[in-house]
């Protein structure tokens, strides 16, 4: 991803100049063209330091069946939904989700519904 704010026209009377407002980006689950990504990576907002070096040849792909080796879901199997290679993240379907109770009343105990966005586990 290259953040280019302005680029000079490719004409002979102009010197080739490029003004960049960000050299690195903070990657998450948002796509780079989405509004959430643009607000997180807005100019003049300091980014937190990330101490992760991306793996050069990431060998896990979307659709692979994986087993969790560490954490509270250790030993469970699932299918990879999303991969963020810049942060070495893998989102696995149905594992490590947040749950909330809906339709709870005095007579009815309610339903446990999982949220759409899972917690990320590197």
């Amino acid at each position: 991803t290259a953040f280019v704010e302005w680029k000079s026209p490719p004409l002979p009377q102009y010197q080739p100049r490029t003004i960049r407002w960000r050299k690195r980006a903070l990657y998450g689950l948002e796509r780079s063209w989405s509004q959430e990504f643009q607000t997180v990576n807005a100019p003049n907002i300091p980014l937190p330091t990330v101490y992760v070096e991306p793996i050069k040849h990431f060998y896990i792909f979307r659709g692979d069946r994986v087993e969790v080796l560490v954490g509270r879901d250790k030993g469970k199997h699932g299918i990879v939904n999303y991969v963020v290679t810049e942060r070495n993240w893998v989102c696995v379907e149905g594992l490590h989700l947040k749950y909330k109770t809906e339709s709870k009343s005095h007579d009815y105990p309610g339903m446990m519904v999982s949220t759409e966005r899972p917690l990320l586990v590197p």
Side-chain angles (χ1 to χ4, degrees):
T1 304
F3 296 98
V4 177
E5 186 174 350
W6 183 81
K7 200 170 192 178
S8 63
L11 298 174
Q13 65 264 30
Y14 293 102
Q15 290 184 350
R17 294 179 193 252
T18 303
I19 299 174
R20 297 179 192 274
W21 54 270
R22 175 82 65 191
K23 291 186 178 180
R24 60 186 180 94
L26 182 66
Y27 293 96
L29 288 178
E30 296 85 18
R31 300 290 188 173
S32 59
W33 56 83
S34 67
Q35 185 64 33
E36 295 87 12
F37 184 85
Q38 298 298 327
T39 55
V40 169
N41 293 297
N44 300 326
I45 295 178
L47 295 177
T49 304
V50 179
Y51 299 103
V52 174
E53 184 176 336
I55 299 171
K56 291 183 181 178
H57 301 289
F58 211 73
Y59 56 91
I60 298 174
F61 301 101
R62 185 173 178 259
D64 287 351
R65 185 176 202 80
V66 294
E67 180 181 356
V68 180
L69 299 177
V70 178
R72 80 174 190 205
D73 291 330
K74 180 179 178 181
K76 294 183 182 177
H77 296 267
I79 297 174
V80 175
N81 280 345
Y82 192 80
V83 177
V84 182
T85 56
E86 291 84 5
R87 300 294 288 277
N88 298 334
W89 285 349
V90 174
C91 293
V92 180
E93 178 182 315
L95 299 180
H96 208 67
L97 294 173
K98 288 184 179 179
Y99 292 95
K100 63 180 181 177
T101 305
E102 287 187 355
S103 305
K104 186 175 182 179
S105 65
H106 180 68
D107 299 332
Y108 183 64
M111 298 181 292
M112 294 294 288
V113 179
S114 65
T115 58
E116 295 291 326
R117 300 189 72 174
L119 294 171
L120 289 175
V121 180

